[in-house]
C-alpha cells in the first residue's frame, strides 16, 4: 500500500466517524415524535457562548417523596401525558418506562424541604433542551414573547432524547 492509499483510508475513516456523530445527533429531528412543553422565561444572554434563549420547563422541577432515593447527576426518565395542547410530567423513573412517551434527563440538584410535616423534596432536572441558540435579534424577540410563558415544540425520540424545534 502506498502513502496515498493510506492517507485516503485514514481520511475516509475520520469522515465516516464524523458522519456517525452528526447522524446520531440529528436522528431525533428525523424520527422523533413532536410534543409541546410549557416554557417559563429565563435571562437569554451569555457573554461566552453568545446569544441564546434559556428555557425552563414546567417539567424541570418535579416533587417526589422524601423517602424516594434519587441522586444528583443520575439519569432519570420522566413519563409524559398529554394535558390539552401540551405535555406534563406523569411520573419519574430510574429505568426506562414502558408505554407512555418519556423524556430522559439528569438530576441537576435536589432541594430538600426541611419544614415539619412536609413529605417531599424537589428534583431539578436538565434535559439538554434548556438552551436555544439563535441570532441576537431573534433571541430578543423570543424573550419578549416568553415574558408570560409560552410553548416549546420538542422532537422526542423513542429513547427519550429531545431537541428543541421552535418556541411558540
Amino acid at each position: 500500500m502506498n502513502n496515498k492509499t493510506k492517507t485516503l483510508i485514514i481520511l475516509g475513516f475520520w469522515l465516516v466517524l464524523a458522519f456517525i456523530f452528526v447522524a446520531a445527533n440529528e436522528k431525533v429531528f428525523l424520527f422523533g415524535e413532536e410534543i409541546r412543553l410549557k416554557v417559563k422565561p429565563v435571562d437569554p444572554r451569555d457573554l461566552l457562548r453568545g446569544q441564546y434563549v434559556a428555557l425552563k420547563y414546567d417539567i424541570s422541577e418535579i416533587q417526589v417523596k422524601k423517602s424516594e432515593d434519587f441522586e444528583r447527576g443520575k439519569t432519570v426518565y420522566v413519563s409524559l401525558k398529554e394535558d390539552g395542547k401540551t405535555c406534563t410530567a406523569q411520573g419519574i423513573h430510574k429505568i426506562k418506562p414502558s408505554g407512555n412517551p418519556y423524556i430522559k434527563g439528569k438530576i441537576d440538584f435536589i432541594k430538600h424541604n426541611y419544614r415539619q410535616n412536609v413529605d417531599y423534596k424537589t428534583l431539578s432536572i436538565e434535559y439538554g433542551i434548556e438552551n436555544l441558540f439563535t441570532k441576537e435579534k431573534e433571541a430578543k424577540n423570543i424573550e419578549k414573547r416568553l415574558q408570560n410563558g409560552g410553548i416549546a415544540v420538542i422532537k422526542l425520540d423513542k429513547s427519550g432524547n429531545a431537541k428543541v424545534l421552535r418556541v411558540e
Side-chain angles (χ1 to χ4, degrees), residues 3-19:
N3 285 341
K4 186 176 180 180
T5 305
K6 288 180 186 177
T7 303
L8 288 174
I9 290 172
I10 292 170
L11 180 63
F13 169 77
W14 285 110
L15 286 173
V16 168
L17 191 61
F19 176 78

Side-chain angles (χ1 to χ4, degrees), residues 136-151:
E136 182 176 357
K137 195 172 195 175
E138 188 178 343
K140 289 179 183 179
N141 288 337
I142 293 172
E143 176 188 7
K144 286 177 188 173
R145 290 191 336 241
L146 290 179
Q147 285 182 355
N148 296 320
I151 295 175

Side-chain angles (χ1 to χ4, degrees), residues 48-67:
L48 297 176
R49 294 191 293 181
Q51 229 24 55
Y52 71 97
V53 179
L55 304 171
K56 184 173 182 178
Y57 302 90
D58 284 354
I59 64 169
S60 294
E61 291 188 343
I62 297 178
Q63 291 183 347
V64 296
K65 292 180 180 178
K66 280 185 181 178
S67 59

Side-chain angles (χ1 to χ4, degrees), residues 63-98:
Q63 291 183 347
V64 296
K65 292 180 180 178
K66 280 185 181 178
S67 59
E68 291 186 69
D69 184 31
F70 286 98
E71 296 177 38
R72 185 174 188 261
K74 295 291 183 178
T75 298
V76 291
Y77 303 89
V78 177
S79 55
L80 303 169
K81 67 176 180 179
E82 260 189 65
D83 186 16
K85 293 182 180 182
T86 61
C87 289
T88 58
Q90 183 176 24
I92 184 166
H93 315 274
K94 293 178 186 175
I95 59 172
K96 293 179 183 179
S98 59

